[in-house]
Amino acid sequence: LWRLGYCARLLKTNHFRTAASNTSFPAVWMLLAQHSGRIPGLFVVVKKNTFFTMPETAEDNTNPELYLPHPGVRGMTLLNREAFKRTVVLPALKVKKEIVHSVLKSLKQSVLQRPGLKRVVEDPEDEDSRFVILDPHKVPEFSLGESEQQVLKQLSVHPEVTKYHLELTYENFKSEEILRAVLPEGQEVTSGFSRVGHIAHLNLRDHQLPYRHLIGQVIMDKNPGISCVVNKTSIIDSTYRNFEMEVLAGENNLVTKVKENNIAYELDFSKVYWNPRLSTEHSRIVELLKAGDVLFDVFAGIGPFAIPAAKRKCRVFANDLNPESYTWLLHNCKLNRVDTKVKAFNMDGRDFLRGPVREELSKELPLLKEQKTAFHIVMNLPALAVEFLDVFRHLLVGEPCSPAGLPTVHCYGFSKHSNPARDIQERAEAALGTSLAGRCSTFLVRNVAPNKEMLCLSFQIPADVLYKRPCP
């Protein structure tokens, strides 16, 4: 406890990051390990939005066979559910069915708590009786303590503990237990996946690839509603932000429906980019907008910024270079009945900024007499967006508008730097040709990989950058 408290103080003082929306759990555990001398054996299960994990759980040394499939499944690559069957001997009490509820209530600390296993089973030899299965850890010698025996005596139940032979099947084991039993000993079995509608999307390690089809089938079996499991087979294409994938299990149907922040979207997961882990960030940006504001979405995808903004009665200009994304953007605008509020474009990001964005700003900014309209430019292409910032240099010609009317840019980027906030700001300053000190804010979106962060840099474009003064 002292070590845990000490590490918590270290986390608070040395590893606190302002405005962080997602905590990097691996980093937290590594810090705990560094200062406590060991890595905790029990990992926390995190379920946020639609990202799921199958974490390693602490093995039961008291009665390990209760939680493990048959050892003969080790090395299996083609799933055979029958091979997981095994019989275990558990302590049990034979009681009349009329008082089963009373026994369960009185012995709640001693009855079996294993999820997926029944605590009460029928007696094949006596239809008026039931077997109450007990926890083998609480009743290790097949005998109850004095207090439990007194309770049973009051209920007129014979305290003799019998041995009950329970058959465990594939259905009784958790997904991580199945994979731990199948993969070679000592190899990592923790496997996270993103859920996109009926699709589970994995990023398997090299040592897991020989078992990929079995892993896919197990995930589909153990997660209701998933009917297709895919594994990413290449890095994201920097042009269209999609990647090649292999169907591991289930139907080869990658057109799916998702719901994010109460808005429905449809997409072909194999042809467009969609990341369910960004729902909080989409919501954060949209919450900054007010009715009547203007949003320019430079890399719009299928519309997770554009459509919610249009529903807030903003005027939206949404663009994406990927023809498939553009098609699904139009489709989702109609699906959500905002197609009259969103002007969609299928252009390169630079051409979009130098074309429709410049045209709209040139028309709107000189007319601003009172600050009622705010202009926001979202650039969610973390791998390249910072390199597009040079487009804002002298994008407009004329006298600058009031400082309050200058457009606000929300630019996303990745960083592997020890100080990612400073890194992304310096890269943005280099592209803009000016300092942003005191004029920007940085938001940590999420931890993408070990030592790799995704951030959002928000700033108003300085007037001396945006405007080119006309010659006298």
Side-chain angles (χ1 to χ4, degrees), residues 325-361:
S325 295
Y326 172 74
T327 299
W328 286 105
L329 172 63
L330 294 175
H331 174 81
N332 287 309
C333 286
K334 291 181 179 178
L335 181 67
N336 289 279
R337 300 179 181 178
V338 294
D339 47 306
T340 59
K341 300 177 182 178
V342 178
K343 292 185 179 180
F345 302 86
N346 180 208
M347 307 171 66
D348 176 78
R350 289 180 178 274
D351 295 335
F352 176 65
L353 289 168
R354 290 170 175 159
V357 174
R358 173 160 53 186
E359 180 181 344
E360 191 65 20
L361 291 177

Side-chain angles (χ1 to χ4, degrees), residues 214-228:
L214 181 144
I215 293 172
Q217 189 64 53
V218 170
I219 289 176
M220 193 166 69
D221 289 346
K222 298 297 181 178
N223 294 274
I226 289 180
S227 57
C228 177

Side-chain angles (χ1 to χ4, degrees), residues 97-117:
K97 65 180 181 180
E98 293 83 6
I99 60 171
V100 165
H101 179 72
S102 298
V103 172
L104 289 174
K105 186 176 180 180
S106 302
L107 297 181
K108 60 182 178 181
Q109 299 299 327
S110 299
V111 298
L112 184 67
Q113 300 295 333
R114 166 75 175 175
L117 294 182

Side-chain angles (χ1 to χ4, degrees), residues 161-421:
V161 178
T162 62
K163 294 183 179 181
Y164 183 83
H165 293 261
L166 177 68
E167 184 182 64
L168 298 178
T169 66
Y170 173 82
E171 285 71 26
N172 298 128
F173 298 109
K174 302 174 186 177
S175 53
E176 64 268 20
E177 293 167 345
I178 293 172
L179 298 183
R180 185 182 295 112
V182 169
L183 268 65
E185 291 188 66
Q187 288 194 1
E188 180 188 6
V189 299
T190 303
S191 179
F193 65 90
S194 299
R195 182 164 183 170
V196 183
H198 67 278
I199 302 169
H201 166 224
L202 298 96
N203 292 320
L204 295 180
R205 306 287 181 86
D206 289 342
H207 71 271
Q208 297 171 327
L209 293 179
Y211 308 90
R212 62 189 184 277
H213 294 291
L214 181 144
I215 293 172
Q217 189 64 53
V218 170
I219 289 176
M220 193 166 69
D221 289 346
K222 298 297 181 178
N223 294 274
I226 289 180
S227 57
C228 177
V229 182
V230 300
N231 180 46
K232 185 173 73 171
T233 59
S234 67
I235 61 174
I236 293 178
D237 184 293
S238 59
T239 305
Y240 289 160
R241 291 206 296 173
N242 54 11
F243 45 79
E244 295 179 5
M245 60 184 70
E246 177 187 11
V247 176
L248 303 181
E251 58 182 341
N252 190 3
N253 175 21
L254 298 177
V255 175
T256 188
K257 299 178 181 180
V258 296
K259 197 168 187 179
E260 180 183 274
N261 301 323
N262 296 318
I263 296 177
Y265 302 88
E266 296 181 354
L267 62 134
D268 185 335
F269 190 55
S270 65
K271 297 180 180 178
V272 304
Y273 178 80
W274 179 264
N275 191 336
R277 300 169 188 167
L278 296 177
S279 63
T280 303
E281 180 61 13
H282 296 153
S283 177
R284 183 183 75 88
I285 294 297
V286 172
E287 288 294 324
L288 301 176
L289 308 176
K290 298 178 181 178
D293 287 351
V294 179
L295 174 68
F296 300 103
D297 195 348
V298 185
F299 312 105
I302 66 168
F305 287 111
I307 292 172
K311 282 187 168 289
R312 290 177 74 92
K313 299 181 180 180
C314 297
R315 288 191 293 127
V316 179
F317 297 78
N319 171 74
D320 203 281
L321 178 63
N322 183 353
E324 290 289 338
S325 295
Y326 172 74
T327 299
W328 286 105
L329 172 63
L330 294 175
H331 174 81
N332 287 309
C333 286
K334 291 181 179 178
L335 181 67
N336 289 279
R337 300 179 181 178
V338 294
D339 47 306
T340 59
K341 300 177 182 178
V342 178
K343 292 185 179 180
F345 302 86
N346 180 208
M347 307 171 66
D348 176 78
R350 289 180 178 274
D351 295 335
F352 176 65
L353 289 168
R354 290 170 175 159
V357 174
R358 173 160 53 186
E359 180 181 344
E360 191 65 20
L361 291 177
S362 299
K363 181 174 62 176
E364 293 285 339
L365 290 181
L367 301 178
L368 287 180
K369 295 181 180 179
E370 296 181 7
Q371 184 53 34
K372 294 183 179 180
T373 302
F375 296 87
H376 292 263
I377 303 173
V378 173
M379 305 176 69
N380 185 20
L381 183 63
L384 297 172
V386 175
E387 299 175 13
F388 284 73
L389 293 177
D390 65 312
V391 175
F392 294 115
R393 292 191 187 187
H394 296 169
L395 184 66
L396 305 181
V397 176
E399 291 297 324
C401 66
S402 65
L406 293 170
T408 298
V409 173
H410 308 282
C411 181
Y412 292 84
F414 294 132
S415 177
K416 295 184 178 180
H417 197 273
S418 58
N419 188 336

Side-chain angles (χ1 to χ4, degrees), residues 16-75:
F16 179 76
R17 295 176 178 176
T18 58
S21 65
N22 291 320
T23 304
S24 171
F25 280 91
V28 173
W29 284 114
M30 288 308 294
L31 183 70
L32 288 171
Q34 179 183 348
H35 292 280
S36 67
R38 61 181 179 177
I39 298 177
L42 183 62
F43 277 43
V44 176
V45 183
V46 181
K47 178 180 178 182
K48 182 174 182 180
N49 303 321
T50 47
F51 176 67
F52 300 81
T53 59
M54 299 188 298
E56 294 192 37
T57 56
E59 289 191 12
D60 192 309
N61 296 321
T62 307
N63 193 18
E65 70 272 9
L66 178 62
Y67 301 103
L68 295 179
H70 192 282
V73 301
R74 180 77 66 190

Side-chain angles (χ1 to χ4, degrees), residues 420-435:
R422 185 179 65 186
D423 174 50
I424 193 170
Q425 179 178 329
E426 290 178 350
R427 285 157 52 200
E429 290 173 339
L432 293 168
T434 190
S435 173

